[in-house]
Amino acid sequence: QSLGGRPGMTAKLVVNYRSPTPLLTELRFEGRVERVEGRKTFTVGTLHAGDRLCAEAEGLFVSIDAVKMSGLMQERDRRTGG
């Protein structure tokens, strides 16, 4: 969602696991923005191991002003020493 130029906060994230995800296997993640409504960005994504669907996800993100986002990140870093 942030790669689309609308950084923000996660409001909702739902993951449905469809099958076990194998270890030591190349995985493919796919995601897309479904729609944007004002400050809200609705996304979907999948995780595949070969042809096997391992997980599906739906997310809702709320964009915030870039200056405010920067301030929040600086405050977080100040509190955590990062």
Side-chain angles (χ1 to χ4, degrees), residues 73-74 76-82:
M73 293 174 68
Q74 288 175 1
R76 178 199 63 196
D77 292 345
R78 185 187 67 76
R79 289 179 185 230
T80 62

Side-chain angles (χ1 to χ4, degrees), residues 40-61:
K40 297 178 182 178
T41 301
F42 296 84
T43 63
V44 295
T46 57
L47 165 62
H48 292 85
D51 291 335
R52 180 196 308 180
L53 174 63
C54 298
E56 297 175 300
E58 296 178 8
L60 168 60
F61 301 89

